[in-house]
Amino acid sequence: MGFARACSVALVGVDGVVVEVQADLEPGVAAFALVGLPDKTLVESRDRVRAAVVNSGAAWPQKKLTVGLSPASVPKSGAGFDLAVAAAVLGAAEVIDPGVIADLVLIGELGLDGRVRPVRGILPAVLAAAEAGYRQVVVPQQCAAEAMLVPDVSVLGVRSLRQLIAVLTDGEVPEEEPPDPPGRPDPMLAGLVLPGAGLGTGVARAGRDGRDFPELADVAGQHAARRALEVAAAGGHHLFLSGPPGAGKTMLAERIPWILPPLTRQDSLEVTAIHSVAGILPPGEPLVTRPPYCAPHHSATMQSLVGGGAGVPRPGAVSLAHRGILFLDEAAEFGSKALDALRQPLEAGHVVIARAAGVVRLPAGFLMVLAANPCPCGRHTLHGAGCECPASVIRRYQARLSGPLLDRVDLRVEVEPVTRSDLLGRGGRGETTAVVAARVREARDRAAARLADTPWRLNSEVPGHELRTRWQPAAGALAQAERDLERGLLTARGLDRVLRVAWTVADLRGRDRPDPLDVAVALELRTGVARGAAAAMTGAGS
C-alpha cells in the first residue's frame, strides 16, 4: 500500500483555502476514485492526469487509486488541482519521494501531453498558501511572475510534468521546447484570460507605455464639473453628473483615474487578485498599478454588477472597480434593482453574496460616478431646444435614481452645454491632468497625515461622529448646514457627507480645518444650489 500527499488551493471568491490532496494505492482492480466535493471540471482531471503521467514517461499504477481532497466540506472547482493530483499519485507510486511533496503547494492544469497550462487566480492562491505557512509553491511558468509578487515564498515555474518530475527526483531536466513562430498566439494562455472578459465588463486599461491616457485639458469648458472631479478624486467622494447629451459627461468620467494617485503595494495586490480570479489580467502584466476603470453597459444585470453566477459567486463590476472608478453611464436606464443593490457596497466597501454554494465576501471599495440625462430626450435643461417630454414623464425618469441611492452621492453637478467659445478654445485650455493630479496627491497626503493612526485613509471613509467630535471644523462653520438639516433639505447622513466634502475642500486649499466657506462649497456641490462659494475653489480645476 502506498500513500502520499501534496497541497493545492481552492478559491472561494477571492479568498483561498489550502487543500490537502491525498493519494492512496491499494491492491485491487485498477480504478481511479476522486472524492472531496469536486465539480465537473475537477472530476474530469482523472483522465487528464492519467494521460499526462503516461505521456511524461512515467508508469501509471495498476492498482485501486483513491484521491481525496481535504477538507471535504469546501467546494473545489477548476482544473488548478491537476498538478497536485499528479504529484500525489506519483508519490504514492514511489516515483517521487513522498516527503519531498508533503509541504509543497502545486497549482496548475495538465494537458494530455503533460504540459502545464496556466490557470486564473494564481496570486490569491499563493497569498492563501503564504498565510497558511507554506513557503514553496509550484505554478505554471506563464504565471511565475504573478506568483513572485508574494514575498517570502519560493516559486518554481514549470513547463511540463516531465520537468517537475526531473526537478523533484534530481534527474536530468528535459530540454526546453522550441518557441512558437512569431506572431502566432500562445495556445497555453487560452485559459488565463477569458475571451472578451475585459470588454464585457467595461474594464479599461492604459497602454504598456503608460502615456496614452485621456488628457483633462482636452475637456472644453465645464469649470464647475472639473472642480467636482478634483474634489471627488481627492476625497474619494461619489459623483453624479447630470446634463444634456454631448456636454462631456463621459469625457470627464474617463479622466478621473488619471488624476488619482497610483495604487499602493497593498492595493495593487488586492486589485490584481480580483482581476486574476475574474480572468481579465493581461498576460505579461502581473501587477495592476493604476486604479481600474469599469464602465458596464446600462443593460447589465444585478448579478453582473454586484457579483454572482452559477455555483460559487464570481466578482462583479463593483469588485472589478475596487480601488478605482465605477462609471454608470446613462444611469437612469439601469434596472432599479441593479442600482439599489449598490447601496450596501457603497456604505460598507465590500459586498456579501449568499448562494446555495456558499457565502462569499468580495472587496468593493470604489468611487462611483453616475451620469444621466435630465429627461428621456435629454433636452429638458436646454433653452429653446424643443423638449416635448411631459412633466410626469420627466418626474418618472428622474425618479429611477432612488432617493436612498442619491443620498449616498456626495457631489451632484449640472453639466452645462459647451459654448462655441469654449469649444474653439477662445477661453484658453484648462489645467492638464498632471497639474490636477499633483494637487490631488497633496490633498490626499494631507488627509493621510491627519488620519495616520486610524483605520481610515480618505475623508469619505471617516464616520460622521469622528468628524464632529475628534476633528471639529472651525467655529460656526456648520451653521448653514445645520439650518438645512432643520428645514429638511439634508438628512443626517447628508450632513455627515457635507462635512466630509468640506474637509476635502480644506485639504485642497491647504487649510488645517474647514471654515464656513469650505462648508458652503460642500453644500453647493451636494445640493446643486449656488451659494456664492465658487471662489473657494479658484485655481482648483479651473
Side-chain angles (χ1 to χ4, degrees):
M1 181 178 70
F3 176 83
R5 61 186 177 90
C7 295
S8 191
V9 179
L11 289 177
V12 182
V14 294
D15 298 322
V17 178
V18 176
V19 173
E20 188 177 75
V21 180
Q22 304 170 343
D24 177 69
L25 284 174
E26 296 180 356
V29 178
F32 189 170
L34 183 64
V35 297
L37 210 59
D39 71 343
K40 178 65 175 177
T41 304
L42 190 48
V43 169
E44 293 175 349
S45 68
R46 296 179 300 184
D47 299 321
R48 290 195 301 271
V49 170
R50 182 188 290 108
V53 168
V54 173
N55 291 328
S56 298
W60 183 259
Q62 298 300 315
K63 295 182 179 181
K64 181 182 178 181
L65 172 62
T66 304
V67 174
L69 308 176
S70 179
S73 59
V74 176
K76 292 96 179 170
S77 61
F81 292 87
D82 289 3
L83 203 57
V85 171
V89 171
L90 293 174
E94 298 183 351
V95 176
I96 298 174
D97 182 2
V100 175
I101 61 174
D103 295 320
L104 198 61
V105 177
L106 302 101
I107 308 166
E109 177 186 347
L110 285 175
L112 299 184
D113 56 356
R115 289 186 298 174
V116 180
R117 302 179 64 91
V119 294
R120 301 189 300 274
I122 288 292
L123 178 58
V126 178
L127 283 171
E131 291 177 359
Y134 293 88
R135 292 293 175 261
Q136 292 182 312
V137 298
V138 178
V139 299
Q141 188 179 52
Q142 293 89 341
C143 302
E146 183 180 345
M148 289 178 182
L149 296 173
V150 182
D152 302 326
V153 174
S154 175
V155 178
L156 172 62
V158 295
R159 303 180 308 274
S160 64
L161 181 60
R162 186 190 300 269
Q163 178 189 2
L164 177 62
I165 295 174
V167 171
L168 296 179
T169 58
D170 296 328
E172 183 179 353
V173 178
E175 296 182 1
E176 186 173 353
E177 299 178 1
D180 293 328
R184 181 180 176 183
D186 188 355
M188 296 293 287
L189 300 177
L192 189 59
V193 179
L194 293 177
L199 297 175
T201 54
V203 175
R205 298 186 182 278
R208 293 183 180 274
D209 57 2
R211 293 192 297 268
D212 56 341
F213 59 87
E215 175 57 60
L216 190 59
D218 293 339
V219 179
Q222 306 300 353
H223 302 294
R226 289 165 59 96
R227 288 193 293 268
L229 253 65
E230 185 171 339
V231 174
H237 305 288
H238 305 305
L239 174 64
F240 176 36
L241 300 173
S242 176
K249 301 186 293 295
T250 303
M251 284 187 65
L252 289 164
E254 289 175 346
R255 282 148 178 78
I256 298 180
W258 301 102
I259 62 177
L260 293 174
L263 298 175
T264 64
R265 176 72 177 183
Q266 181 61 34
D267 290 345
S268 293
L269 291 177
E270 291 179 6
V271 174
T272 302
I274 297 170
H275 289 202
S276 177
V277 170
I280 61 173
L281 194 64
E285 298 181 23
L287 186 65
V288 179
T289 58
R290 295 293 313 178
Y293 174 83
C294 186
H297 191 261
H298 59 74
S299 61
T301 62
M302 182 176 65
Q303 288 76 15
S304 67
L305 281 181
V306 301
V312 178
R314 299 182 60 81
V318 297
S319 297
L320 299 179
H322 182 60
R323 303 301 181 193
I325 307 298
L326 176 65
F327 177 48
L328 303 182
D329 199 6
E330 304 295 344
E333 302 294 341
F334 280 79
S336 59
K337 290 185 177 179
L339 288 176
D340 289 337
L342 299 176
R343 297 184 196 176
Q344 188 237 356
L346 284 173
E347 286 289 327
H350 63 266
V351 59
V352 178
I353 306 172
R355 295 290 187 272
V359 179
V360 174
R361 183 182 185 273
L362 298 171
F366 56 90
L367 193 162
M368 182 179 69
V369 181
L370 302 173
N373 296 327
C375 68
C377 75
R379 300 191 298 269
H380 175 59
T381 57
L382 298 178
H383 299 291
C387 175
E388 298 179 353
C389 299
S392 59
V393 173
I394 296 175
R395 284 195 301 270
R396 284 197 300 269
Y397 187 79
Q398 295 178 351
R400 293 181 181 179
L401 300 177
S402 66
L405 176 64
L406 290 181
D407 197 40
R408 290 166 167 82
V409 178
D410 302 337
L411 313 175
R412 306 174 192 178
V413 180
E414 185 73 29
V415 181
E416 300 291 341
V418 181
T419 63
R420 182 174 61 180
S421 60
D422 288 334
L423 194 59
L424 297 178
R426 295 174 184 172
R429 298 187 74 193
E431 291 178 325
T432 63
T433 298
V435 172
V436 177
R439 201 157 50 232
V440 168
R441 178 185 286 273
E442 292 176 2
R444 286 205 171 195
D445 290 343
R446 193 172 290 111
R450 183 173 61 252
L451 304 172
D453 297 327
T454 70
W456 314 294
R457 297 184 299 174
L458 299 175
N459 291 326
S460 61
E461 300 173 353
V462 183
H465 174 73
E466 297 288 337
L467 290 177
R468 291 190 299 270
T469 57
R470 187 171 179 179
W471 296 287
Q472 295 183 357
L478 289 177
Q480 193 173 5
E482 291 171 353
R483 286 196 299 270
D484 286 356
L485 179 64
E486 293 176 355
R487 293 157 56 189
L489 300 178
L490 277 180
T491 63
R493 180 193 286 121
L495 179 62
D496 289 344
R497 291 185 175 276
V498 166
L499 190 52
R500 293 169 186 163
V501 175
W503 271 103
T504 301
V505 175
D507 288 335
L508 287 169
R509 296 177 63 202
R511 302 184 63 86
D512 294 334
R513 56 179 180 168
D515 58 17
L517 192 56
D518 297 325
V519 176
V521 172
L523 284 170
E524 184 174 321
L525 288 172
R526 179 171 180 81
T527 63
V529 179
R531 299 169 186 261
M537 291 295 292
T538 299
S542 59

